[in-house]
Amino acid sequence: MTEKNETITLIGAGLNGPLLGLELAKRGFKVDIYERRPDMRRVRMSAGRSINLALSARGIYALTQSNLWKGMQNIVLPMRGRMMHSTTSEITFQPYGRNESDVNNSISRAELNVALMNAAEEHDVRIHFKKRCMGIDLKNNLLAIRDEETGKEQAISTSVVIACDGSASVIRSEMLKRSRFNFSQQHLDYGYKELTVPALPGGTHSLDVGALHIWPRGNYMLIALPNIDGTFACILFLPFEGEDSFERLTTRAAVHEFFRSRFPDAVPLMPDLTDNFFANPVGSMVTIKCSPWHADGKALLLGDAAHAIVPFFGQGINCGFEDCTVLLQLLDQHGADWNRVFTEFERARKENTDAIADLAVENFVEMRDRVADPRFLFRKKAELALQEKYPQRFVPKYSMVTFLRVPYATARKRGQVQDRILTELCAHIDRIEGLDWAKAETMIHGELTPLEY
Ligand SMILES: Cc1cc2nc3c(=O)[nH]c(=O)nc-3n(C[C@H](O)[C@H](O)[C@H](O)COP(=O)(O)OP(=O)(O)OC[C@H]3O[C@@H](n4cnc5c(N)ncnc54)[C@H](O)[C@@H]3O)c2cc1C
């Protein structure tokens, strides 16, 4: 067992690293974090990978437990629902839930990262910037750390390593070399590109600030999330290849024409559209599943390093912060018996992280295609009506995932049952008045137990 005065080494000062580091430090451990990038508080740089994030119940819970959430209200904008933009520039609003409190929150990735690093350092976590982990000798728990300025490599001995180094984790690559390590990665045929809608003069927003904006176009989509400085961070999700794809958008004229014909109401909002388009890279999206997440109680994968998911449920960091919550609960329960804590952590999390990975891929189809379909919109209405009548039993999947902390695997299973019930109840009707409530009662009471959360 590790003594509390021993050092725990974390790789990566992205989002999970500093949150976990600060909670470990509060529990009396010494914590070192090695981060390959420079300190973003001192060097101006892009936070990379989408400039804002949707933060919801699971993330908020973890930040509240760390007494950080209240202090973040000035960097958060609540979004009440989806604002859909049609090709003819009509706008339709779909609330996320029944209650005013059912909101998703847009938060700047960089501001969140800075707040977490500041809080970690206040608790004496040492963050070593420009120090890249090159690998680990898992037998002896020796880390190879390279100074990004001098190129010098140093061996660091540590009893416990927690890899918070994201979807391309170096520690995971080392675990891959061990026997019986399971690994799968599935790339989408889609890429993404970040664009910006600037603020109006005076710093006001040029679109409704209380919504996540979506331009669903069947096979692809544009989305926009509000920032506190009056801008919107937009992301274009588009196939890499094919008719409407990144490979076709190689000239300014092609880009302008693509946006003018597909997203006509977005074009006037983006005066620097083509400059922006060619300045920003095309990112790829991957689902990674692997196991086991730990090596003999000495090294653990956490967050994207263990389970990277595609961004369409807005759950990547919410899921990562929930990892931190669960790991810390187990640590409080069992003490620093790392082998036991890591084993139970994986047992508690794996089926849930697999479930949110699958839900995230499924939600891509819903966002880019189905939200514009009148039948889908009718089903949404029926869903809300059923929830109104059976609030304990029929809780929409989106609400279970986003507003509640129902385990993801439970949300997925119940969501599938509810989908089937909805399909049957909505099959031959197009008005809520036509709902067969007797049938609904039988199906819902027969197939769904009251939800415990
Ligand atoms: C386009 C897009 C949109 C997204 N939107 C959302 C959203 O709305 N809501 C949501 O919850 N999630 C979202 N996500 C997912 C979210 O960004 C990730 O789940 C989250 O950042 C994972 O946190 P992490 O700490 O595990 O990894 P990261 O945030 O990736 O941090 C890893 C850190 O490790 C460092 N590092 C990497 N390798 C090394 C090394 N060898 N040595 C030292 N340091 C290293 C990196 O520099 C980085 O600082 C989105 C992702 C993408 C791509």
Side-chain angles (χ1 to χ4, degrees):
M1 254 196 238
T2 303
E3 295 303 322
K4 283 208 171 175
N5 60 8
E6 281 190 61
T7 300
I8 300 181
T9 307
L10 269 48
I11 308 299
L15 298 178
N16 284 308
L19 180 66
L20 184 62
L22 103 90
E23 284 302 322
L24 291 170
K26 277 189 197 168
R27 284 163 174 78
F29 295 99
K30 289 184 186 156
V31 182
D32 276 308
I33 306 184
Y34 292 92
E35 166 58 51
R36 70 175 175 195
R37 292 182 305 188
D39 186 348
M40 64 166 70
R41 294 165 296 185
R42 292 181 178 83
V43 181
R44 221 183 110 80
M45 59 181 191
S46 148
R49 304 227 336 260
S50 107
I51 46 187
N52 50 21
L53 297 160
L55 197 71
S56 49
R58 297 162 209 264
I60 293 171
Y61 179 81
L63 294 172
T64 307
Q65 294 293 101
S66 291
N67 290 325
L68 293 172
W69 177 239
K70 262 195 187 153
M72 289 180 175
Q73 296 315 299
N74 59 338
I75 55 168
V76 167
L77 283 170
M79 303 180 290
R80 291 167 286 110
R82 298 162 166 165
M83 193 73 82
M84 253 77 63
H85 297 247
S86 77
T87 35
T88 49
S89 305
E90 281 147 23
I91 292 178
T92 333
F93 181 70
Q94 269 177 30
Y96 278 133
R98 287 184 314 152
N99 309 315
E100 289 222 335
S101 58
D102 290 346
V103 296
N104 214 331
N105 298 279
S106 178
I107 187 165
S108 147
R109 181 190 285 271
E111 302 268 9
L112 175 61
N113 210 158
V114 165
L116 290 171
M117 290 192 293
N118 285 343
E121 286 180 342
E122 276 164 27
H123 286 85
D124 295 329
V125 172
R126 290 167 299 197
I127 309 180
H128 309 271
F129 293 98
K130 295 191 261 184
K131 302 278 185 193
R132 181 188 291 262
C133 175
M134 304 299 289
I136 181 171
D137 164 357
L138 286 166
K139 235 187 198 153
N140 304 304
N141 256 24
L142 267 185
L143 285 161
I145 302 288
R146 187 179 75 189
D147 185 308
E148 293 287 77
E149 264 175 3
T150 63
K152 273 200 183 137
E153 219 171 281
Q154 186 188 359
I156 289 176
S157 166
T158 176
S159 50
V160 180
V161 178
I162 303 183
C164 305
D165 53 345
S167 58
S169 170
V170 162
I171 306 292
R172 193 186 61 232
S173 302
E174 296 286 353
M175 288 192 184
L176 248 172
K177 296 175 191 161
R178 288 162 65 94
S179 64
R180 293 189 292 117
F181 185 79
N182 301 300
F183 176 76
S184 75
Q185 66 176 21
Q186 188 75 45
H187 280 96
L188 288 187
D189 295 334
Y190 287 74
Y192 73 92
K193 191 179 275 272
E194 294 172 4
L195 301 163
T196 306
V197 168
L200 295 172
T204 49
H205 291 90
S206 58
L207 291 164
D208 186 325
V209 67
L212 186 147
H213 295 260
I214 311 182
W215 289 258
R217 295 298 180 261
N219 197 29
Y220 54 91
M221 67 175 174
L222 179 71
I223 67 167
L225 280 83
N227 282 314
I228 44 169
D229 63 359
T231 63
F232 278 83
C234 297
I235 312 181
L236 172 66
F237 295 99
L238 191 66
F240 282 111
E241 287 147 22
E243 183 129 346
D244 284 319
S245 70
F246 281 115
E247 75 167 357
R248 301 280 169 101
L249 299 180
T250 51
T251 63
R252 297 176 77 87
V255 170
H256 187 78
E257 178 49 26
F258 175 75
F259 274 81
R260 192 200 57 74
S261 55
R262 272 54 162 208
F263 313 115
D265 60 332
V267 174
L269 307 176
M270 296 195 270
D272 301 325
L273 170 64
T274 43
D275 287 343
N276 231 221
F277 190 92
F278 289 108
N280 294 338
V282 179
S284 60
M285 290 169 284
V286 66
T287 301
I288 289 176
K289 293 181 181 173
C290 66
S291 70
W293 288 346
H294 77 103
D296 311 322
K298 289 189 200 153
L300 174 76
L301 307 174
L302 182 138
D304 275 22
H307 46 71
I309 63 177
V310 296
F312 305 108
F313 229 118
Q315 282 296 308
I317 197 51
N318 290 288
C319 177
F321 283 175
E322 192 170 65
D323 278 1
C324 298
T325 303
V326 173
L327 184 72
L328 293 162
Q329 277 167 353
L330 289 167
L331 181 60
D332 292 342
Q333 211 175 321
H334 303 304
D337 179 353
W338 296 111
N339 201 24
R340 179 169 185 192
V341 168
F342 291 173
T343 304
E344 292 202 12
F345 170 70
E346 181 168 351
R347 198 173 294 143
R349 292 303 283 157
K350 180 78 169 102
E351 66 162 345
N352 290 309
T353 59
D354 283 353
I356 190 58
D358 297 340
L359 284 167
V361 174
E362 289 161 22
N363 215 42
F364 186 28
V365 183
E366 176 164 326
M367 280 179 87
R368 68 172 202 244
D369 194 5
R370 297 184 66 209
V371 287
D373 174 354
R375 282 307 296 170
F376 173 81
L377 296 179
F378 174 65
R379 276 173 69 105
K380 280 277 162 206
K381 268 195 194 155
E383 192 175 56
L384 285 179
L386 292 172
Q387 185 188 15
E388 188 88 42
K389 181 132 184 170
Y390 305 100
Q392 294 305 319
R393 288 179 195 256
F394 198 101
V395 182
K397 186 171 63 188
Y398 190 86
S399 301
M400 287 189 279
V401 169
T402 310
F403 308 129
L404 302 173
R405 295 190 300 119
V406 173
Y408 289 125
T410 308
R412 179 149 200 251
K413 268 185 230 133
R414 291 183 73 105
Q416 284 165 343
V417 174
Q418 291 175 177
D419 272 351
R420 194 165 31 74
I421 293 175
L422 267 177
T423 303
E424 205 158 310
L425 292 176
C426 295
H428 306 295
I429 57 168
D430 51 17
R431 294 171 63 236
I432 293 296
E433 293 72 31
L435 262 180
D436 181 342
W437 285 103
K439 190 172 178 181
E441 173 93 13
T442 310
M443 291 185 87
I444 289 172
H445 277 267
E447 301 192 44
L448 294 165
T449 52
L451 182 61
E452 286 167 24
Y453 52 88

